[in-house]
């Protein structure tokens, strides 16, 4: 397969970092997008460059602050100027949160949606004009199995944002199909190992309301949830499996890529529920005369 030009957002995070490395190992030119490459993420940027030198792969770092349209536009413009195209965009940027929903301020919830959902829109608006001009491309979205599978309390903000991301991915898949742009959604479950163990992320800013839960009938629930997640997710579950799934869909032939790939060591049921949800959506498209949107159009660029 010819080498592709790939952009991975959130490459300072676990899934993004591993995905960028796996794709570079596949012989592709990979841009690891992260913000503040000379500041807070300077260490991750240096490590990515060291990895590229050690492994002899084409892994590059690009300043890409998904919170700022100007940064996104500049990063994408630099990539297109260097290569004339972008073949694959991997949406891996995101952030979690853990705690009682009421204890998160509206501003915190807005920030969660900004990094998990609105940031995707910023990047899409920068990249998609180039893919539409090319009449080819691939969007890979990193969703979450608990959007459709079983879950527990105290994950409301994270799951609400991921549910919005997943819905956006589905809509984009249909709207881009006639342009020859394909979609695959990677659906990770809970991975207990790693630096962000037990879905710990942003904590509630309203400490008084959080205390009302901890000192009331929900006392100890946070610990119970963390322990339960630890029991569900195998300790030896390898987050590299998610990167492997990303690499798999990139390497798959155009038109044959799976719409979803589940990587769920905890088996929360998302792999059972999502096929039913997707089938119902597919049937509605067929009933309303839009069945062609279920597969990307094949243009000369793909032949």
């Amino acid at each position: 397969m010819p080498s592709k030009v790939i952009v991975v957002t959130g490459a300072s995070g676990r899934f993004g970092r591993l995905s960028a490395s796996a794709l570079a190992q596949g012989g592709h030119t990979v841009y690891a997008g992260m913000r503040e490459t000379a500041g807070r993420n300077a260490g991750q940027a240096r490590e990515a460059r060291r990895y590229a030198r050690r492994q002899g792969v084409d892994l590059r770092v690009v300043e890409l602050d998904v919170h700022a349209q100007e940064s996104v536009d500049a990063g994408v413009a630099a990539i297109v100027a260097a290569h004339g195209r972008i073949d694959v965009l991997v949406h891996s940027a995101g952030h979690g949160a853990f705690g009682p929903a009421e204890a998160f301020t509206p501003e915190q919830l807005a920030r969660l949606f900004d990094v998990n959902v609105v940031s995707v829109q910023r990047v899409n608006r920068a990249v998609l004009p180039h893919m539409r001009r090319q009449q080819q491309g691939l969007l890979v979205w990193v969703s979450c199995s608990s959007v459709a599978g079983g879950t527990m309390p105290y994950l409301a903000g994270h799951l609400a944002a991921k549910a919005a991301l997943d819905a956006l991915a589905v809509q984009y898949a249909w709207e881009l199909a006639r342009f020859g742009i394909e979609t695959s959604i990677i659906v990770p479950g809970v991975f207990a190992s790693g630096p962000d163990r037990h879905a710990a992320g942003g904590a509630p800013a309203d400490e008084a309301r959080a205390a009302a839960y901890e000192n009331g009938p929900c006392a100890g629930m946070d610990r119970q949830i963390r322990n339960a997640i630890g029991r569900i997710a195998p300790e030896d579950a390898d987050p590299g499996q998610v990167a492997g799934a990303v690499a798999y869909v990139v390497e798959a032939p155009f038109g044959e890529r799976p719409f979803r790939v589940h990587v769920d060591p905890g088996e929360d049921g998302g792999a059972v529920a999502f096929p039913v949800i997707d089938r119902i959506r597919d049937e509605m498209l067929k009933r309303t005369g839009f069945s062609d949107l279920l597969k990307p159009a094949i243009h000369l660029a793909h032949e």
Side-chain angles (χ1 to χ4, degrees), residues 191-303:
F191 285 82
S193 61
D196 47 353
R197 180 180 174 88
H198 299 334
D206 191 334
E207 296 179 359
R209 297 199 188 211
Y213 282 79
E214 180 58 29
N215 297 328
C218 294
M221 183 178 285
D222 60 344
R223 293 184 295 278
Q224 293 171 341
I225 293 169
R226 292 176 187 274
N227 291 336
I229 293 173
R231 291 193 302 272
I232 292 170
E235 286 288 339
D236 59 352
D238 179 11
Q241 295 176 44
V242 176
V246 172
Y248 164 71
V249 299
V250 169
E251 299 295 341
F254 174 81
E256 299 179 21
R257 294 180 172 107
F259 185 64
R260 289 189 192 272
V261 179
H262 295 269
V263 188
D264 182 14
E267 299 181 347
D268 67 13
V272 177
F274 264 125
V276 176
I277 295 169
D278 290 334
R279 177 176 57 79
I280 291 171
R281 290 168 172 167
D282 292 354
E283 289 174 355
M284 177 58 74
L285 286 184
K286 294 174 183 177
R287 287 173 55 196
T288 53
F290 291 102
S291 58
D292 70 296
L293 303 184
L294 296 175
K295 287 289 184 181
I298 300 176
H299 299 291
L300 292 177
H302 294 294
E303 297 179 355

Side-chain angles (χ1 to χ4, degrees), residues 113-130:
F113 271 76
D114 187 79
V115 68
N116 287 288
V117 186
V118 182
S119 71
V120 169
Q121 186 71 352
R122 294 188 185 102
V123 180
N124 276 354
R125 283 174 56 83
V127 170
L128 287 177
H130 303 288

Side-chain angles (χ1 to χ4, degrees), residues 118-167:
V118 182
S119 71
V120 169
Q121 186 71 352
R122 294 188 185 102
V123 180
N124 276 354
R125 283 174 56 83
V127 170
L128 287 177
H130 303 288
M131 287 189 175
R132 287 190 286 101
R133 173 180 50 81
Q134 297 161 191
Q135 292 193 310
Q136 63 176 320
L138 169 64
L139 297 189
V140 182
W141 307 66
V142 180
S143 181
C144 175
S145 63
S146 294
V147 168
T151 186
M152 286 167 282
Y154 284 19
L155 297 170
H158 172 67
L159 293 182
K162 282 297 186 181
L165 171 79
D166 198 281

Side-chain angles (χ1 to χ4, degrees), residues 79-102:
I79 296 168
V80 173
H83 303 279
R85 71 187 201 276
I86 293 176
D87 301 306
V88 181
L89 170 59
V90 180
H91 286 300
S92 184
H95 188 64
F98 182 83
E102 183 189 350

